mmCIF file with all atom_site columns, all heavy atoms in Angstrom:
data_model
loop_
_atom_site.group_PDB
_atom_site.id
_atom_site.type_symbol
_atom_site.label_atom_id
_atom_site.label_alt_id
_atom_site.label_comp_id
_atom_site.label_asym_id
_atom_site.label_entity_id
_atom_site.label_seq_id
_atom_site.pdbx_PDB_ins_code
_atom_site.Cartn_x
_atom_site.Cartn_y
_atom_site.Cartn_z
_atom_site.occupancy
_atom_site.B_iso_or_equiv
_atom_site.pdbx_formal_charge
_atom_site.auth_seq_id
_atom_site.auth_comp_id
_atom_site.auth_asym_id
_atom_site.auth_atom_id
_atom_site.pdbx_PDB_model_num
ATOM 1   N N   . THR A 1 39 ? 22.809 33.206 -19.763 1.00 82.00 ? 39 THR A N   1
ATOM 2   C CA  . THR A 1 39 ? 23.072 32.066 -18.895 1.00 82.00 ? 39 THR A CA  1
ATOM 3   C C   . THR A 1 39 ? 22.556 32.346 -17.484 1.00 82.00 ? 39 THR A C   1
ATOM 4   O O   . THR A 1 39 ? 22.288 33.504 -17.128 1.00 82.00 ? 39 THR A O   1
ATOM 5   C CB  . THR A 1 39 ? 24.584 31.779 -18.819 1.00 82.00 ? 39 THR A CB  1
ATOM 6   O OG1 . THR A 1 39 ? 25.222 32.869 -18.131 1.00 82.00 ? 39 THR A OG1 1
ATOM 7   C CG2 . THR A 1 39 ? 25.193 31.594 -20.202 1.00 82.00 ? 39 THR A CG2 1
ATOM 8   N N   . ILE A 1 40 ? 22.477 31.305 -16.693 1.00 81.00 ? 40 ILE A N   1
ATOM 9   C CA  . ILE A 1 40 ? 22.063 31.449 -15.298 1.00 81.00 ? 40 ILE A CA  1
ATOM 10  C C   . ILE A 1 40 ? 23.004 32.405 -14.561 1.00 81.00 ? 40 ILE A C   1
ATOM 11  O O   . ILE A 1 40 ? 22.565 33.262 -13.797 1.00 81.00 ? 40 ILE A O   1
ATOM 12  C CB  . ILE A 1 40 ? 22.047 30.067 -14.592 1.00 81.00 ? 40 ILE A CB  1
ATOM 13  C CG1 . ILE A 1 40 ? 21.025 29.142 -15.245 1.00 81.00 ? 40 ILE A CG1 1
ATOM 14  C CG2 . ILE A 1 40 ? 21.792 30.211 -13.098 1.00 81.00 ? 40 ILE A CG2 1
ATOM 15  C CD1 . ILE A 1 40 ? 19.591 29.474 -14.969 1.00 81.00 ? 40 ILE A CD1 1
ATOM 16  N N   . ARG A 1 41 ? 24.289 32.271 -14.792 1.00 85.00 ? 41 ARG A N   1
ATOM 17  C CA  . ARG A 1 41 ? 25.258 33.138 -14.110 1.00 85.00 ? 41 ARG A CA  1
ATOM 18  C C   . ARG A 1 41 ? 25.133 34.589 -14.548 1.00 85.00 ? 41 ARG A C   1
ATOM 19  O O   . ARG A 1 41 ? 25.307 35.510 -13.755 1.00 85.00 ? 41 ARG A O   1
ATOM 20  C CB  . ARG A 1 41 ? 26.666 32.609 -14.312 1.00 85.00 ? 41 ARG A CB  1
ATOM 21  C CG  . ARG A 1 41 ? 26.904 31.356 -13.507 1.00 85.00 ? 41 ARG A CG  1
ATOM 22  C CD  . ARG A 1 41 ? 28.321 30.915 -13.547 1.00 85.00 ? 41 ARG A CD  1
ATOM 23  N NE  . ARG A 1 41 ? 28.508 29.824 -12.588 1.00 85.00 ? 41 ARG A NE  1
ATOM 24  C CZ  . ARG A 1 41 ? 29.258 28.790 -12.804 1.00 85.00 ? 41 ARG A CZ  1
ATOM 25  N NH1 . ARG A 1 41 ? 29.938 28.676 -13.938 1.00 85.00 ? 41 ARG A NH1 1
ATOM 26  N NH2 . ARG A 1 41 ? 29.384 27.856 -11.907 1.00 85.00 ? 41 ARG A NH2 1
ATOM 27  N N   . GLN A 1 42 ? 24.840 34.819 -15.824 1.00 86.00 ? 42 GLN A N   1
ATOM 28  C CA  . GLN A 1 42 ? 24.626 36.199 -16.281 1.00 86.00 ? 42 GLN A CA  1
ATOM 29  C C   . GLN A 1 42 ? 23.380 36.782 -15.620 1.00 86.00 ? 42 GLN A C   1
ATOM 30  O O   . GLN A 1 42 ? 23.364 37.946 -15.220 1.00 86.00 ? 42 GLN A O   1
ATOM 31  C CB  . GLN A 1 42 ? 24.498 36.248 -17.807 1.00 86.00 ? 42 GLN A CB  1
ATOM 32  C CG  . GLN A 1 42 ? 25.820 35.970 -18.500 1.00 86.00 ? 42 GLN A CG  1
ATOM 33  C CD  . GLN A 1 42 ? 25.670 35.666 -19.967 1.00 86.00 ? 42 GLN A CD  1
ATOM 34  O OE1 . GLN A 1 42 ? 24.581 35.369 -20.455 1.00 86.00 ? 42 GLN A OE1 1
ATOM 35  N NE2 . GLN A 1 42 ? 26.774 35.732 -20.676 1.00 86.00 ? 42 GLN A NE2 1
ATOM 36  N N   . LEU A 1 43 ? 22.344 35.981 -15.464 1.00 85.00 ? 43 LEU A N   1
ATOM 37  C CA  . LEU A 1 43 ? 21.135 36.436 -14.792 1.00 85.00 ? 43 LEU A CA  1
ATOM 38  C C   . LEU A 1 43 ? 21.406 36.700 -13.319 1.00 85.00 ? 43 LEU A C   1
ATOM 39  O O   . LEU A 1 43 ? 20.928 37.685 -12.760 1.00 85.00 ? 43 LEU A O   1
ATOM 40  C CB  . LEU A 1 43 ? 20.013 35.421 -14.960 1.00 85.00 ? 43 LEU A CB  1
ATOM 41  C CG  . LEU A 1 43 ? 19.503 35.245 -16.386 1.00 85.00 ? 43 LEU A CG  1
ATOM 42  C CD1 . LEU A 1 43 ? 18.481 34.114 -16.445 1.00 85.00 ? 43 LEU A CD1 1
ATOM 43  C CD2 . LEU A 1 43 ? 18.927 36.539 -16.926 1.00 85.00 ? 43 LEU A CD2 1
ATOM 44  N N   . LEU A 1 44 ? 22.199 35.857 -12.692 1.00 86.00 ? 44 LEU A N   1
ATOM 45  C CA  . LEU A 1 44 ? 22.568 36.089 -11.288 1.00 86.00 ? 44 LEU A CA  1
ATOM 46  C C   . LEU A 1 44 ? 23.345 37.394 -11.144 1.00 86.00 ? 44 LEU A C   1
ATOM 47  O O   . LEU A 1 44 ? 23.108 38.170 -10.206 1.00 86.00 ? 44 LEU A O   1
ATOM 48  C CB  . LEU A 1 44 ? 23.396 34.915 -10.751 1.00 86.00 ? 44 LEU A CB  1
ATOM 49  C CG  . LEU A 1 44 ? 23.873 35.049 -9.303  1.00 86.00 ? 44 LEU A CG  1
ATOM 50  C CD1 . LEU A 1 44 ? 22.697 35.237 -8.339  1.00 86.00 ? 44 LEU A CD1 1
ATOM 51  C CD2 . LEU A 1 44 ? 24.680 33.821 -8.891  1.00 86.00 ? 44 LEU A CD2 1
ATOM 52  N N   . PHE A 1 45 ? 24.237 37.665 -12.069 1.00 90.00 ? 45 PHE A N   1
ATOM 53  C CA  . PHE A 1 45 ? 24.978 38.942 -12.074 1.00 90.00 ? 45 PHE A CA  1
ATOM 54  C C   . PHE A 1 45 ? 23.996 40.109 -12.181 1.00 90.00 ? 45 PHE A C   1
ATOM 55  O O   . PHE A 1 45 ? 24.074 41.078 -11.434 1.00 90.00 ? 45 PHE A O   1
ATOM 56  C CB  . PHE A 1 45 ? 25.974 38.946 -13.228 1.00 90.00 ? 45 PHE A CB  1
ATOM 57  C CG  . PHE A 1 45 ? 26.829 40.182 -13.306 1.00 90.00 ? 45 PHE A CG  1
ATOM 58  C CD1 . PHE A 1 45 ? 27.855 40.397 -12.397 1.00 90.00 ? 45 PHE A CD1 1
ATOM 59  C CD2 . PHE A 1 45 ? 26.619 41.110 -14.300 1.00 90.00 ? 45 PHE A CD2 1
ATOM 60  C CE1 . PHE A 1 45 ? 28.644 41.535 -12.474 1.00 90.00 ? 45 PHE A CE1 1
ATOM 61  C CE2 . PHE A 1 45 ? 27.410 42.242 -14.393 1.00 90.00 ? 45 PHE A CE2 1
ATOM 62  C CZ  . PHE A 1 45 ? 28.429 42.449 -13.469 1.00 90.00 ? 45 PHE A CZ  1
ATOM 63  N N   . PHE A 1 46 ? 23.034 39.995 -13.095 1.00 91.00 ? 46 PHE A N   1
ATOM 64  C CA  . PHE A 1 46 ? 22.012 41.054 -13.227 1.00 91.00 ? 46 PHE A CA  1
ATOM 65  C C   . PHE A 1 46 ? 21.217 41.204 -11.947 1.00 91.00 ? 46 PHE A C   1
ATOM 66  O O   . PHE A 1 46 ? 21.017 42.321 -11.446 1.00 91.00 ? 46 PHE A O   1
ATOM 67  C CB  . PHE A 1 46 ? 21.078 40.750 -14.400 1.00 91.00 ? 46 PHE A CB  1
ATOM 68  C CG  . PHE A 1 46 ? 19.945 41.730 -14.506 1.00 91.00 ? 46 PHE A CG  1
ATOM 69  C CD1 . PHE A 1 46 ? 20.143 43.023 -14.964 1.00 91.00 ? 46 PHE A CD1 1
ATOM 70  C CD2 . PHE A 1 46 ? 18.660 41.357 -14.120 1.00 91.00 ? 46 PHE A CD2 1
ATOM 71  C CE1 . PHE A 1 46 ? 19.103 43.932 -15.037 1.00 91.00 ? 46 PHE A CE1 1
ATOM 72  C CE2 . PHE A 1 46 ? 17.612 42.267 -14.202 1.00 91.00 ? 46 PHE A CE2 1
ATOM 73  C CZ  . PHE A 1 46 ? 17.833 43.556 -14.659 1.00 91.00 ? 46 PHE A CZ  1
ATOM 74  N N   . TYR A 1 47 ? 20.768 40.094 -11.366 1.00 89.00 ? 47 TYR A N   1
ATOM 75  C CA  . TYR A 1 47 ? 19.998 40.148 -10.134 1.00 89.00 ? 47 TYR A CA  1
ATOM 76  C C   . TYR A 1 47 ? 20.796 40.813 -9.005  1.00 89.00 ? 47 TYR A C   1
ATOM 77  O O   . TYR A 1 47 ? 20.273 41.594 -8.239  1.00 89.00 ? 47 TYR A O   1
ATOM 78  C CB  . TYR A 1 47 ? 19.587 38.750 -9.657  1.00 89.00 ? 47 TYR A CB  1
ATOM 79  C CG  . TYR A 1 47 ? 18.634 38.003 -10.552 1.00 89.00 ? 47 TYR A CG  1
ATOM 80  C CD1 . TYR A 1 47 ? 18.664 36.601 -10.566 1.00 89.00 ? 47 TYR A CD1 1
ATOM 81  C CD2 . TYR A 1 47 ? 17.724 38.634 -11.382 1.00 89.00 ? 47 TYR A CD2 1
ATOM 82  C CE1 . TYR A 1 47 ? 17.788 35.876 -11.395 1.00 89.00 ? 47 TYR A CE1 1
ATOM 83  C CE2 . TYR A 1 47 ? 16.869 37.924 -12.196 1.00 89.00 ? 47 TYR A CE2 1
ATOM 84  C CZ  . TYR A 1 47 ? 16.894 36.556 -12.194 1.00 89.00 ? 47 TYR A CZ  1
ATOM 85  O OH  . TYR A 1 47 ? 16.052 35.827 -12.992 1.00 89.00 ? 47 TYR A OH  1
ATOM 86  N N   . ALA A 1 48 ? 22.076 40.472 -8.926  1.00 91.00 ? 48 ALA A N   1
ATOM 87  C CA  . ALA A 1 48 ? 22.927 41.030 -7.870  1.00 91.00 ? 48 ALA A CA  1
ATOM 88  C C   . ALA A 1 48 ? 23.056 42.529 -8.006  1.00 91.00 ? 48 ALA A C   1
ATOM 89  O O   . ALA A 1 48 ? 22.944 43.265 -7.023  1.00 91.00 ? 48 ALA A O   1
ATOM 90  C CB  . ALA A 1 48 ? 24.308 40.366 -7.901  1.00 91.00 ? 48 ALA A CB  1
ATOM 91  N N   . VAL A 1 49 ? 23.310 43.006 -9.207  1.00 93.00 ? 49 VAL A N   1
ATOM 92  C CA  . VAL A 1 49 ? 23.426 44.455 -9.426  1.00 93.00 ? 49 VAL A CA  1
ATOM 93  C C   . VAL A 1 49 ? 22.085 45.128 -9.173  1.00 93.00 ? 49 VAL A C   1
ATOM 94  O O   . VAL A 1 49 ? 22.017 46.157 -8.487  1.00 93.00 ? 49 VAL A O   1
ATOM 95  C CB  . VAL A 1 49 ? 23.947 44.753 -10.846 1.00 93.00 ? 49 VAL A CB  1
ATOM 96  C CG1 . VAL A 1 49 ? 23.897 46.263 -11.131 1.00 93.00 ? 49 VAL A CG1 1
ATOM 97  C CG2 . VAL A 1 49 ? 25.373 44.214 -11.013 1.00 93.00 ? 49 VAL A CG2 1
ATOM 98  N N   . ALA A 1 50 ? 21.014 44.538 -9.673  1.00 93.00 ? 50 ALA A N   1
ATOM 99  C CA  . ALA A 1 50 ? 19.679 45.124 -9.473  1.00 93.00 ? 50 ALA A CA  1
ATOM 100 C C   . ALA A 1 50 ? 19.329 45.194 -7.998  1.00 93.00 ? 50 ALA A C   1
ATOM 101 O O   . ALA A 1 50 ? 18.813 46.213 -7.520  1.00 93.00 ? 50 ALA A O   1
ATOM 102 C CB  . ALA A 1 50 ? 18.632 44.311 -10.245 1.00 93.00 ? 50 ALA A CB  1
ATOM 103 N N   . TYR A 1 51 ? 19.598 44.127 -7.261  1.00 92.00 ? 51 TYR A N   1
ATOM 104 C CA  . TYR A 1 51 ? 19.322 44.086 -5.838  1.00 92.00 ? 51 TYR A CA  1
ATOM 105 C C   . TYR A 1 51 ? 19.968 45.273 -5.128  1.00 92.00 ? 51 TYR A C   1
ATOM 106 O O   . TYR A 1 51 ? 19.334 45.969 -4.343  1.00 92.00 ? 51 TYR A O   1
ATOM 107 C CB  . TYR A 1 51 ? 19.833 42.760 -5.247  1.00 92.00 ? 51 TYR A CB  1
ATOM 108 C CG  . TYR A 1 51 ? 19.739 42.686 -3.730  1.00 92.00 ? 51 TYR A CG  1
ATOM 109 C CD1 . TYR A 1 51 ? 18.565 42.259 -3.127  1.00 92.00 ? 51 TYR A CD1 1
ATOM 110 C CD2 . TYR A 1 51 ? 20.816 43.052 -2.933  1.00 92.00 ? 51 TYR A CD2 1
ATOM 111 C CE1 . TYR A 1 51 ? 18.465 42.199 -1.763  1.00 92.00 ? 51 TYR A CE1 1
ATOM 112 C CE2 . TYR A 1 51 ? 20.725 42.971 -1.559  1.00 92.00 ? 51 TYR A CE2 1
ATOM 113 C CZ  . TYR A 1 51 ? 19.543 42.561 -0.971  1.00 92.00 ? 51 TYR A CZ  1
ATOM 114 O OH  . TYR A 1 51 ? 19.448 42.518 0.395   1.00 92.00 ? 51 TYR A OH  1
#
Side-chain angles (χ1 to χ4, degrees):
T39 67
I40 297 288
R41 288 188 171 141
Q42 289 166 344
L43 294 174
L44 179 58
F45 182 74
F46 174 74
Y47 296 152
V49 173
Y51 173 86

